[in-house]
Amino acid sequence: RAGDLAVIGSTFFHRSVVHGFSEAKGIVLCFLPKAITGKDPSGEDLEFLMPFLAQDEAFRHLVPAGSGIPSKILDLIKLIHAELPAKSVRSRMNASTYLKMILVLLGNYYAGYHGNLRQFHNKEKNIQRLRPVLDFIDEHLAERIAVSDVASMVYMSKSRFIRFFKNVPGQPSVTYI
């Protein structure tokens, strides 16, 4: 709905779908985790990224406009945009601070979520296992792709692959293809 915020990390495959004839608009904020954690992603700064790292099938990706969070985050995104291109130390510091403020808002909103780093590492491991399949699909989109063929690429039976694939990107392999 208008004003809602979608929170989607890089380990969760996603796509947008518009239903009906309404026009969808969105603002996307992409950042590298190193912008927050620096070179060592193991300290307290990793806590800033928890809403993105611990996403699983049960994660509530939508933050409703009524919570007030999306409008606060939009204001911070506008402040980041005003600092770009961040060529000076001050503008980089400001943009980084605004980004951390966004992450604090999200961290507080998702504080009750019981995701953890183990889930994140398992998901990353599963994505890496599927990497040959995902690359193959990207390279052969114009061709007919059989599920049994891509299942054999990762040494799985077709039925095992179908279950495994659905749990990793969050959608059936046929839909993804």
Side-chain angles (χ1 to χ4, degrees):
R1 295 186 178 112
D4 287 348
L5 171 69
V7 178
I8 304 170
S10 62
T11 62
F12 197 85
F13 291 94
H14 55 280
R15 63 188 167 116
S16 60
V17 177
V18 179
H19 297 283
F21 297 101
S22 63
E23 183 177 313
K25 295 179 184 180
I27 296 172
V28 177
L29 174 64
C30 296
F31 65 93
L32 296 173
K34 289 180 183 176
I36 300 302
T37 63
K39 294 179 182 176
D40 181 25
S42 61
E44 286 183 2
D45 287 343
L46 197 57
E47 193 65 34
F48 280 114
L49 302 175
M50 219 23 113
F52 299 96
L53 299 179
Q55 291 183 6
D56 61 11
E57 298 79 30
F59 186 81
R60 297 179 324 262
H61 294 278
L62 205 62
V63 180
S67 68
I69 305 259
S71 63
K72 290 177 184 176
I73 289 177
L74 178 59
D75 290 342
L76 290 164
I77 289 173
K78 288 176 181 176
L79 289 171
I80 291 170
H81 187 263
E83 296 293 336
L84 300 177
K87 293 183 178 179
S88 71
V89 171
R90 181 180 197 83
S91 62
R92 284 191 298 275
M93 181 184 72
N94 289 346
S96 175
T97 300
Y98 299 143
L99 177 58
K100 284 185 177 181
M101 290 168 69
I102 289 170
L103 297 174
V104 165
L105 287 168
L106 291 173
N108 289 340
Y109 180 80
Y110 287 109
Y113 181 71
H114 298 294
N116 61 42
L117 277 178
R118 194 186 83 223
Q119 289 171 326
F120 168 70
H121 291 300
N122 285 341
K123 187 145 201 152
E124 280 223 322
K125 184 179 80 176
N126 291 340
I127 288 171
Q128 289 311 311
R129 183 163 186 200
L130 283 179
R131 181 61 50 208
V133 170
L134 301 173
D135 291 343
F136 179 84
I137 292 169
D138 285 345
E139 293 169 12
H140 298 90
L141 278 176
E143 302 168 26
R144 181 169 163 75
I145 299 172
V147 174
S148 56
D149 292 342
V150 290
S152 67
M153 294 174 71
V154 288
Y155 309 104
M156 290 185 194
S157 68
K158 182 179 174 181
S159 59
R160 167 82 173 109
F161 176 80
I162 289 170
R163 284 190 310 276
F164 183 80
F165 193 97
K166 186 175 182 182
N167 288 330
V168 177
Q171 61 183 312
S173 55
V174 175
T175 303
Y176 183 85
I177 292 170

